[in-house]
């Protein structure tokens, strides 16, 4: 049986792979498994449920609520709210379970269900496996007063915005910001939080209609933000994705400031404030070598993990690190959040700008990005990537050619029959030349 849960909940084509029936069954099963695990400790369980702006979230929310309430769980509806907002309110309200309906940066036809345990943290893999196994098994249904109640929390946006603003130390007065909300879950709370912190905010792509989420905007289409920042004469711009758990930036000139640069800015700010645990930041193996070099020069250690924010979070939890993130803009600040939080990230970058009086371009200049080329090689047996001697020799030759001026990374895709060849070098031409040569060897040696 193929696992329903992926690295970030259950995701698929809404009403195709992800049906109302599946959503209901998953919710019932989750309630049963968490009850058996002692999560509810004998009290009447409470779940909070939020969603992004996809139109399919409406029927999926109804199905999830029906499943939970029929299993005796009281439900608090949060409405349209970012994933990190649902996670925070799960902990803040002392809920036993959180549920977020979103497919993040995916196109509108997709949707997903993410369950969160007490405190707003991701469910353990073992719990997810148990939930899948329990689905559609016979169970004793509560009746009468034992069924769950359903209420709406009208202050979810207000509470979450206030929490976000409480995490920064300086007024943002005098800073003009363009915020691209991707027509997603942050369309209301994002501009509100920044305005209440003192910033002048130009909100774009903040008019969701149920079908326009991530459509040519947000963190995967930065050209919209770049144009808006220049046109409005803004000091800075930020782009969120559909559920606002990631954030990328643009400086006043329209130049992109990616997740590595954002992570570098925040690492130095937190180290200066004594908030960077063990003077170490967690990143993935895909982080630009320029980031690693800049952190080393500044006396900040870098702990690298496999690609994926879940691996970053695992490393942070294991060693108590307080900052981690990815080049894609997932930034986790564990003192304030249990997951990546795009609005939180934007606020803390703005806080650093306000504290120092420096521009984003100046702050981002702490690191110099090495030219990076990524080539996908499809139709290959990715399981043999580490076993082929000819390929290993080609990689060794490339690494010797680069020396300390670059690096090579071969990474099998986690979801497709392809191998990703990533090369960083002192020049874009050198990076492209080496990447193409290695891609040819991968295809020759591992072709199916």
């Amino acid at each position: 049986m193929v696992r329903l849960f992926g690295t970030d909940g259950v995701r698929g084509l809404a009403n195709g792979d992800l049906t109302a029936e599946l959503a209901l069954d998953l919710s019932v099963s989750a309630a049963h498994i968490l009850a058996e695990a002692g999560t509810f400790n004998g009290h009447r369980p409470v779940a909070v449920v939020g969603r992004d702006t996809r139109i399919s979230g409406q029927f999926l929310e109804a199905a999830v609520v029906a499943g939970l309430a029929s299993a005796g769980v009281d439900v608090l509806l949060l409405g349209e709210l970012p994933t990190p907002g649902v996670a925070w309110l799960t902990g803040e309200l002392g809920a036993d379970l959180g549920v977020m309906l979103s497919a993040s940066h995916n196109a509108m036809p997709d949707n997903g269900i993410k369950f969160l345990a007490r405190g707003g943290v991701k469910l353990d893999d073992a719990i997810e496996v148990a939930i899948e196994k329990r689905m559609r098994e016979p169970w004793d249904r509560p009746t009468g007063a034992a069924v769950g109640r359903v209420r709406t929390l009208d202050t979810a946006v207000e509470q979450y915005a206030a929490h976000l603003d409480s995490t920064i130390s300086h007024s943002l007065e005098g800073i003009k910001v363009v915020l691209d909300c991707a027509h997603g879950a942050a369309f209301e709370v994002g501009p509100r939080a920044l305005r209440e912190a003192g910033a002048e905010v130009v909100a774009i792509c903040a008019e969701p209609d149920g079908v326009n989420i991530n459509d040519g905007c947000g963190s995967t289409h930065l050209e919209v933000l770049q144009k808006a920042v220049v046109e409005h004469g803004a000091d800075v711009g930020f782009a969120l994705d559909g559920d606002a758990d990631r954030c990328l930036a643009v400086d006043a000139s329209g130049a992109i400031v990616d997740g590595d640069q954002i992570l570098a800015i925040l690492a130095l700010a937190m180290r200066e404030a004594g908030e960077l645990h063990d003077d170490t930041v967690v990143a993935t193996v895909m982080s630009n070598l320029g980031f690693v070099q800049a952190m080393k020069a500044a006396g900040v250690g870098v702990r690298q993990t496999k690609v994926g924010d879940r691996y970053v979070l695992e490393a942070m939890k294991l060693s108590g690190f307080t900052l981690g993130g990815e080049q894609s803009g997932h930034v986790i600040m564990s003192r304030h959040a249990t997951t990546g939080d795009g609005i939180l990230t934007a606020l803390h970058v703005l806080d650093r700008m306000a504290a120092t009086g420096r521009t984003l371009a100046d702050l981002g200049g702490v690191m110099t990005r090495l030219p990076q080329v990524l080539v996908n090689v499809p139709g290959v047996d990715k399981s043999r990537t580490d076993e082929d001697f000819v390929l290993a020799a080609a990689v060794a030759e490339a690494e010797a050619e680069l020396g300390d001026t670059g690096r090579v990374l071969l990474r099998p895709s986690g979801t497709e029959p392809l191998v990703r060849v990533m090369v960083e070098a002192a020049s874009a031409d050198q990076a492209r030349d080496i990447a193409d040569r290695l891609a040819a060897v991968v295809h020759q040696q591992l072709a199916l």
Side-chain angles (χ1 to χ4, degrees):
M1 176 181 175
V2 177
R3 277 203 64 185
L4 289 173
F5 285 92
T7 57
D8 200 25
V10 178
R11 193 176 293 189
L13 179 64
N15 220 27
D17 307 311
L18 184 56
T19 63
E21 294 87 347
L22 177 59
L24 190 148
D25 289 340
L26 278 168
S27 301
V28 169
S29 183
H32 291 160
I33 292 301
L34 291 173
E36 291 175 1
T39 300
F40 302 151
N41 294 318
H43 68 271
R44 188 177 182 85
V46 176
V48 297
V49 179
R51 58 185 175 87
D52 69 20
T53 55
R54 295 164 212 268
I55 194 169
S56 60
Q58 297 175 11
F59 80 77
L60 290 172
E61 177 187 72
V64 166
V65 171
L68 293 173
S70 71
V73 178
D74 288 343
V75 179
L76 200 55
L77 294 174
L78 304 180
E80 293 168 333
L81 201 70
T83 292
V86 175
W88 179 75
L89 281 167
T90 300
E92 178 70 10
L93 300 174
D96 303 285
L97 176 66
V99 186
M100 179 64 189
L101 300 167
S102 177
S104 189
H105 59 280
N106 285 28
M108 181 277 295
D110 289 346
N111 215 322
I113 303 176
K114 180 189 292 185
F115 292 106
L116 301 164
R118 284 186 68 86
V121 299
K122 187 182 185 299
L123 294 183
D124 290 339
D125 289 347
I127 296 293
E128 291 181 342
V129 170
I131 289 172
E132 288 191 29
K133 289 183 177 179
R134 176 58 64 87
M135 288 174 59
R136 298 186 182 86
E137 289 186 2
W139 55 290
D140 294 328
R141 299 172 183 271
T143 58
V147 301
R149 283 79 162 169
V150 182
R151 296 181 293 120
T152 299
L153 182 66
D154 294 324
T155 59
V157 167
E158 177 185 344
Q159 291 184 52
Y160 179 45
H163 158 67
L164 291 168
D165 289 338
S166 73
T167 68
I168 62 173
S169 305
H170 301 83
S171 169
L172 306 183
E173 188 174 354
I175 302 178
K176 187 173 183 179
V177 184
V178 177
L179 183 66
D180 182 344
C181 301
H183 296 305
F187 77 98
E188 182 178 1
V189 70
R192 176 173 181 153
L194 268 60
R195 287 185 179 121
E196 291 181 351
E200 179 185 350
V201 180
V202 178
I204 64 172
C205 304
E207 298 177 347
D209 60 11
V211 298
N212 60 0
I213 186 171
N214 298 322
D215 186 10
C217 56
S219 61
T220 53
H221 298 278
L222 290 174
E223 60 276 5
V224 176
L225 178 63
Q226 291 174 290
K227 181 180 179 181
V229 167
V230 174
E231 286 183 347
H232 289 279
D235 300 296
V236 60
F238 297 98
L240 308 172
D241 64 341
D243 70 336
D245 66 350
R246 69 170 69 182
C247 167
L248 293 175
V250 166
D251 69 22
S253 72
I256 294 172
V257 177
D258 70 8
D260 285 339
Q261 292 168 286
I262 291 172
L263 204 57
I265 293 168
L266 296 180
L268 296 185
M270 290 175 64
R271 198 268 302 273
E272 183 179 301
E275 298 174 350
L276 189 66
H277 177 70
D278 202 23
D279 286 346
T280 298
V281 60
V282 181
T284 75
V285 293
M286 287 296 287
S287 290
N288 193 274
L289 181 59
F291 167 77
V292 178
Q293 292 173 340
M295 291 298 94
K296 182 179 179 181
V300 174
V302 179
R303 179 73 58 87
Q304 291 186 285
T305 72
K306 292 191 291 185
V307 175
D309 62 313
R310 69 174 299 171
Y311 300 113
V312 172
L313 188 55
E314 285 174 3
M316 293 176 67
K317 287 181 177 178
L318 184 64
S319 301
F321 296 127
T322 49
L323 178 67
E326 296 186 278
Q327 195 178 77
S328 61
H330 276 110
V331 175
I332 303 168
M333 307 180 74
S334 62
R335 293 181 67 244
H336 310 299
T338 59
T339 183
D341 189 325
I343 306 171
L344 181 73
T345 299
L347 281 167
H348 279 260
V349 171
L350 291 168
D351 190 50
R352 184 62 170 171
M353 291 173 63
T356 61
R358 298 167 64 186
T359 66
L360 180 59
D362 186 26
L363 291 170
V366 67
M367 63 165 280
T368 300
R369 288 183 51 82
L370 269 67
Q372 187 180 78
V373 172
L374 179 66
V375 178
N376 291 327
V377 187
V380 295
D381 182 359
K382 61 184 180 181
S383 67
R384 296 194 293 115
T385 304
D386 296 328
E387 301 173 359
D388 190 271
F389 294 113
V390 174
L391 180 57
V395 170
E397 181 180 347
E399 290 175 334
E401 180 180 339
L402 290 167
D404 294 332
T405 66
R407 67 181 178 126
V408 173
L409 178 66
L410 264 62
R411 187 172 69 88
S413 168
T415 57
E416 303 172 79
L418 60 82
V419 170
R420 307 188 195 282
V421 179
M422 190 274 284
V423 177
E424 289 171 342
S427 72
D429 288 342
Q430 184 184 28
R432 170 57 66 182
D433 178 60
I434 293 175
D436 287 342
R437 279 157 38 198
L438 287 176
V441 177
V442 169
H443 184 269
Q444 175 184 334
Q445 294 299 120
L446 307 184
L448 291 172

